[in-house]
Amino acid sequence: MEKNVKKGNAFTNNPIVKMIGTQKIVVLGVIILLAAFFSVLSPAFRQYSTVVSIFDYSYYVSLMAVGVTFALITGGVDLSIGTGTIAAGLVGGYVVGHYDLPVAVGMLVCIAFGLFLGIFNAVTVAILGLPPFIATLGSMMVARGLGSIMAGASSITWPQAGTPNGWFRSIFKINVGGKMIPIGFLIVIVVVIIMSIVLNKTRPGRYIIAIGSNKEATRLSGINVVKWHSLAYLISGFFTGLAAIAYAATFQAVVPGTGAGLELDAIAGAIIGGTSMTGGAGTVGGTLLGVFVMSLLKTGLPFIGLQANWQQIITGIVLLIAVFVDILKNAKK
């Protein structure tokens, strides 16, 4: 027994483990096991097209998850990111298609719409003091309604690859010799590095963590809690807009009324990666790894014969397990 304890201490005290983090190493192990599991059960999973599908899914969910990590660290949540991503994609695509504007304008509209949701959530949560769950549930419904109104209940198609305005699709995926190369992952990595620095090495990031750790103590120490709490939701909104661009670049069309459930994938990814539901702890790098767990599940489950309904059940179970592990971790502190 004592020997096992010493081994455990030796592992957690290892400089490399300390640098990377125990949680990230565990999640990385889960990713490897899932990839091996699906590869063994389904030879079709081992195709190159599957890798492209995993990355396609990960782009927009990763961006949503990076943003919502900041809201979660404050002890809150942002449920508007899923429908907000779809709504922003609808509004941006509508502007491009109906007013014959450059696709760059549509991309800016996506970001503006995401920021609009971020401001809405910042006002209701940080300034008015509404419970984050209720406030962002309300903004989720607002986003869905605005997107449907703008689209007129019909799908919105962004410019296709090969057309003059279709250049934006090559930001995430390029065609080389007839094979699609998912280069968008490089962008996601850069985003994760930048936001990791913002969270851990800058004053706004430290204040956001402090708010999640103890909001009242942070206020009493002279920090403008409303300002930095609002910033967390603005960041979440900004990344919702970026996720909309990634979604529009990945799929042929954006469909009104969809997006419900995407927020759960992003939130689950953040929690699996080590972000605490009670606030005060989390890493952007861990969030990215958590998203890849969700991406592997979403992509791999159909290969072993489990369709949409079972995927939702398993996703829900994974989310519950992640929250339960988080509760256990906090109980040990």
Side-chain angles (χ1 to χ4, degrees), residues 10 36 67 93 155 232 284 286:
S155 300
V284 180

Side-chain angles (χ1 to χ4, degrees), residues 65-78:
V66 167
V68 81
T69 295
F70 284 78
L72 290 168
I73 287 175
T74 65
V77 71
D78 187 352

Side-chain angles (χ1 to χ4, degrees), residues 79-323:
L79 298 177
S80 67
I81 56 175
T83 54
T85 292
I86 299 300
L90 288 169
V91 174
Y94 178 88
V95 168
V96 172
H98 284 72
Y99 296 103
D100 197 25
L101 293 173
V103 73
V105 175
M107 294 165 73
L108 289 174
V109 169
C110 287
I111 294 173
F113 189 91
L115 286 172
F116 160 74
L117 287 179
I119 293 170
F120 185 95
N121 291 330
V123 170
T124 53
V125 176
I127 297 175
L128 298 180
L130 295 182
F133 181 89
I134 299 300
T136 59
L137 181 63
S139 60
M140 177 180 75
M141 295 175 179
V142 169
R144 182 181 297 176
L146 288 175
S148 297
I149 290 170
M150 183 64 75
S154 59
S155 300
I156 295 292
T157 303
W158 283 66
Q160 300 302 304
T163 63
N165 251 347
W167 59 266
F168 80 107
R169 294 184 181 275
S170 62
I171 297 174
F172 296 94
K173 192 162 50 179
I174 58 174
N175 191 325
V176 179
K179 181 172 285 189
M180 302 307 295
I181 308 297
I183 62 171
F185 183 68
L186 299 175
I187 296 172
V188 173
I189 290 293
V190 171
V191 167
V192 167
I193 291 172
I194 292 172
M195 296 314 293
S196 293
I197 293 171
V198 170
L199 181 62
N200 299 306
K201 303 296 182 182
T202 68
R203 182 182 298 176
R206 289 193 295 270
Y207 287 169
I208 286 171
I209 293 172
I211 290 169
S213 298
N214 193 320
K215 186 175 182 180
E216 184 60 20
T218 303
R219 185 186 67 80
L220 292 174
S221 66
I223 295 171
N224 189 335
V225 168
V226 171
K227 176 182 176 181
W228 302 113
H229 198 180
S230 297
L231 178 64
Y233 284 93
L234 287 174
I235 290 172
S236 185
F238 174 75
F239 277 97
T240 296
L242 291 182
I245 296 172
Y247 189 96
T250 301
F251 296 102
Q252 295 299 314
V254 185
V255 182
T258 59
L262 290 180
E263 69 281 350
L264 296 181
D265 293 343
I267 291 169
I271 296 170
I272 291 169
T275 301
S276 175
M277 278 296 291
T278 57
T283 66
V284 180
T287 291
L288 179 62
L289 291 175
V291 167
F292 265 89
V293 171
M294 301 304 298
S295 185
L296 276 168
L297 287 172
K298 286 284 184 180
T299 308
L301 289 173
F303 282 94
I304 60 174
L306 294 179
Q307 297 308 315
N309 291 334
W310 280 104
Q311 292 174 42
Q312 292 175 3
I313 291 170
I314 292 173
T315 300
I317 291 172
V318 169
L319 179 57
L320 288 173
I321 291 172
V323 173

